[in-house]
Amino acid sequence: MILLLGLVSALQTGLIGGFAGYYLSESLYEEIGQRALMVAKTVAAMPSVIRGVKQRDQEALGGLSHNMAETNDALFIVIGDHMAIRLAHPDPSRIGHSMADDDGDTGAQALIDGQGYVAMAEGSLGLSMRGKAPIVDRDSGDIIGIVSVGYSLNQVLSTIQRYNLVLYGVMGLMLLGSVLAAIVIAGRFKRAIFGLEPEEIAALFEERDATLQSVREGIIAVNREGIITTFNRTAVKTLGLEPSTRLAGQPISSVLPQNDLMTVLWTGEPDFDQEVWFKDQQMIVNRLPVRQGGEIIGVVASFRLRDELDQVSRQLTRIQQYADTLRSQTHEYSNKLHTIAGLIQIGANDEALALIGSEVSDHQALIHLLLEAVPDPVLAGCLLGKYNRAREMGLKLVIDPDSQMASVPNALPREQLVSVLGNLIDNALEATRLHGGEGGLVHLSMTDLGHDLIFEIEDQGPGIAPDQLDRIFEKGVTHKQGSEHGIGLYLVRQFIDRWGGWITVENLQPNGSRFTLYLPKQPELSEPNS
């Protein structure tokens, strides 16, 4: 940059200096020429000169030309007749000779055309700027002679050289100032880019772009005006846009009409692991302000689908639950088989058949109820799993035999439905077990009559403190021990708000609580902040 700015400054200074020098010399030459022409016309118009030429009075003309040359600081004043034969000259030996032998100029323009003119020539007295004018007889109007006035150009050249020295000095100072300015600008610029060279910046840009595209999370950055400056392909894919969509340069409000990026930009407070909904998808979003010199210049947001992590986690959890359930059922049925075998051995066949019948009838009744009332296999599988989970905990999940849930809309995400319902049932089982131990009951009733899907879960827990009823769905609020709790009901509320439903909570007497979930069959989906 220093070299480039220095070369540009040198070129500009050289061009300006050359033009100024050329213009100055041309102006001086023109000024000297016009002065010589004016003096020549003045001398040619003097009556004594006209009279002397007519009388060919060389002595009078010589004295007159000498005096006029000194008066006007001229190098010479030469007077000739109508044939350009010298009548007066500073060098007497040249009198009587043609003026053309000095500079090759016969003076035709003045003697024939009657016009004064300026010429530069190298003569016997050196290089000079000459002004020539015709001498006209006032009585007859004839051209009777010519006057040539010369000014030495050596004086002009010395003047130009003197001016050039000043000009070159100014040019040198300008060039030095430009170089110093280039050094200062380059230093500040290099500090601003952390001392990197352009090639290093280009390499870092390529690395940054490759890094952005390799990240599995969506990334969007905006500047202080809310204009998108950076994004990656994962962001386009996660937001459900066309792969060829170019987000850079677009306002964030046109891509995400409702977002909290500008709030982070105004407050400067980062957001981490915020759970939001966007286009029927639950996302985990992080928002971080970008600062430069203590000033916020933009915001970077990264986001990923929660389902990608939750799906794997749920699958692992289900496998673990299935394994635990099978293990407990194996242990339970092993004990019962031993009991049945003992009853048969002692001849208590009726009691053995009764025990077998009770085991079979409970499961058959539940399966028959689910097949009739809940044709959706995902929802039915969830309820069957929770029934087994309750038995494993020493509890019983009682499903109202009059329940009916056959009109679940196709648009309702099954994974999210069973997640919400599973959270509510798990909480009810946990509260019942902690409060009353084994043998407790959790009741579930369902109905799809009317415009809503209604799920009602009753537990036999301690109930909910009055001061917690309004806060129980807030993130982190829980009556359980441990920092990892307080998320389930928060996610339940997020899904319900997203779907346009609602949920009520009430305490029962003498103990327990009831959660009633309402989900409209034709919801008006709302777009949450993202």
Side-chain angles (χ1 to χ4, degrees):
M1 183 174 292
I2 295 173
L3 181 61
L4 180 62
L5 291 179
L7 290 175
V8 171
S9 299
L11 179 62
Q12 290 178 339
T13 305
L15 290 175
I16 294 173
F19 175 77
Y22 174 79
Y23 182 77
L24 175 62
S25 61
E26 289 297 315
S27 298
L28 287 175
Y29 287 146
E30 184 179 359
E31 182 182 350
I32 294 298
Q34 292 300 319
R35 182 178 179 183
L37 180 60
M38 185 180 299
V39 173
K41 288 181 178 180
T42 301
V43 173
M46 294 176 64
S48 56
V49 173
I50 296 174
R51 185 170 56 253
V53 172
K54 291 172 67 175
Q55 297 176 358
R56 301 186 70 81
D57 187 352
Q58 295 180 358
E59 184 178 354
L61 290 175
L64 182 61
S65 65
H66 178 72
N67 292 333
M68 292 297 295
E70 289 184 349
T71 302
N72 291 278
D73 295 327
L75 178 63
F76 63 83
I77 295 180
V78 177
I79 301 175
D81 61 11
H82 68 285
M83 296 297 293
I85 301 300
R86 297 186 185 96
L87 299 175
H89 190 280
D91 184 1
S93 64
R94 290 183 173 271
I95 296 175
H97 297 281
S98 174
M99 296 173 65
D101 65 5
D102 190 29
D103 56 8
D105 184 7
T106 61
Q109 187 173 349
L111 293 173
I112 298 175
D113 299 334
Q115 297 178 356
Y117 65 94
V118 176
M120 182 188 299
E122 179 75 34
S124 60
L125 298 178
L127 184 64
S128 62
M129 183 68 72
R130 304 177 180 189
K132 297 184 178 184
I135 302 174
V136 181
D137 186 354
R138 294 181 179 180
D139 296 331
S140 62
D142 296 332
I143 298 175
I144 60 174
I146 184 173
V147 175
S148 176
V149 178
Y151 281 89
S152 175
L153 289 184
N154 293 327
Q155 297 177 352
V156 177
L157 292 176
S158 64
T159 302
I160 292 175
Q161 290 176 355
R162 186 171 65 253
Y163 286 159
N164 283 341
L165 289 176
V166 177
L167 181 62
Y168 293 150
V170 173
M171 290 171 59
L173 292 176
M174 291 176 59
L175 182 58
L176 179 61
S178 299
V179 172
L180 292 176
I183 293 174
V184 173
I185 293 173
R188 294 191 62 181
F189 185 76
K190 196 159 187 176
R191 286 193 299 271
I193 60 176
F194 304 103
L196 300 174
E197 295 296 334
E199 295 80 6
E200 295 173 323
I201 295 175
L204 284 177
F205 178 82
E206 294 295 337
E207 291 176 7
R208 187 212 67 159
D209 188 64
T211 302
L212 279 177
Q213 302 306 333
S214 66
V215 174
R216 299 295 298 274
E217 293 187 347
I219 296 177
I220 290 181
V222 300
N223 59 18
R224 68 185 71 192
E225 286 79 27
I227 304 299
I228 297 175
T229 57
T230 304
F231 68 98
N232 63 355
R233 287 190 294 267
T234 306
V236 175
K237 180 180 179 181
T238 304
L239 296 177
L241 305 175
E242 292 294 329
S244 59
T245 302
R246 295 287 300 175
L247 297 181
Q250 297 189 37
I252 187 65
S253 57
S254 66
V255 179
L256 298 172
Q258 296 180 348
N259 63 83
D260 285 338
L261 291 179
M262 300 308 295
T263 303
V264 175
L265 183 65
W266 296 328
T267 63
E269 297 295 330
D271 284 339
F272 296 105
D273 297 328
Q274 296 297 312
E275 299 174 356
V276 299
W277 289 88
F278 181 77
K279 292 184 178 180
D280 298 330
Q281 299 184 102
Q282 190 176 12
M283 298 183 183
I284 304 297
V285 180
N286 295 291
R287 309 178 188 93
L288 189 67
V290 180
R291 301 178 185 271
Q292 184 178 30
E295 181 181 0
I296 299 176
I297 61 173
V299 178
V300 175
S302 65
F303 48 92
R304 66 185 184 275
L305 293 177
R306 183 183 179 91
D307 291 346
E308 293 179 359
L309 298 177
D310 286 354
Q311 186 174 4
V312 176
S313 177
R314 284 195 298 267
Q315 289 175 350
L316 293 175
T317 301
R318 288 172 184 171
I319 292 173
Q320 182 66 38
Q321 289 177 349
Y322 292 154
D324 293 341
T325 300
L326 289 174
R327 185 162 40 278
S328 63
Q329 288 182 347
T330 300
H331 181 73
E332 179 182 358
Y333 283 117
S334 176
N335 292 332
K336 291 183 177 180
L337 286 174
H338 290 151
T339 303
I340 294 172
L343 291 175
I344 293 175
Q345 289 177 359
I346 64 175
N349 296 333
D350 293 338
E351 288 79 359
L353 291 174
L355 181 59
I356 294 172
S358 65
E359 289 298 320
V360 174
S361 63
D362 288 345
H363 275 84
Q364 289 298 324
L366 176 62
I367 293 174
H368 179 75
L369 172 61
L370 293 179
L371 288 175
E372 292 292 332
V374 187
D376 188 285
V378 177
L379 181 56
C382 172
L383 296 178
L384 183 59
K386 296 305 176 184
Y387 176 84
N388 292 328
R389 171 66 175 165
R391 293 191 58 181
E392 177 188 353
M393 297 172 64
L395 307 174
K396 187 173 184 180
L397 175 62
V398 179
I399 300 178
D400 190 339
D402 294 328
S403 293
Q404 182 70 27
M405 190 56 59
S407 302
V408 180
N410 293 329
L412 181 60
R414 298 302 191 270
E415 286 288 332
Q416 296 173 13
L417 174 61
V418 298
S419 176
V420 168
L421 192 59
N423 266 321
L424 294 176
I425 295 175
D426 284 342
N427 286 345
L429 293 173
E430 188 72 19
T432 301
R433 185 179 64 83
L434 291 176
H435 182 68
E438 296 184 0
L441 301 178
V442 173
H443 294 270
L444 168 66
S445 62
M446 304 172 290
T447 180
D448 57 1
L449 297 178
H451 300 290
D452 300 316
L453 306 179
I454 303 175
F455 299 87
E456 189 176 88
I457 300 99
E458 296 182 3
D459 61 52
Q460 294 180 345
I464 302 172
D467 60 341
Q468 296 291 316
L469 283 174
D470 295 332
R471 301 183 60 245
I472 194 171
F473 292 100
E474 295 179 10
K475 187 175 182 180
V477 176
T478 179
H479 64 278
K480 303 176 183 177
Q481 298 295 324
S483 58
E484 70 275 9
H485 300 294
I487 299 297
L489 291 181
Y490 169 75
L491 296 179
V492 169
R493 169 52 62 85
Q494 278 207 323
F495 170 74
I496 293 172
D497 292 342
R498 166 70 178 147
W499 190 256
W502 67 97
I503 188 170
T504 62
V505 184
E506 56 184 315
N507 286 322
L508 304 177
Q509 296 297 331
N511 56 9
S513 57
R514 178 189 295 123
F515 285 74
T516 306
L517 173 63
Y518 301 87
L519 297 176
K521 296 178 181 178
Q522 296 181 348
E524 295 181 2
L525 296 180
S526 60
E527 290 288 347
N529 291 340
S530 59

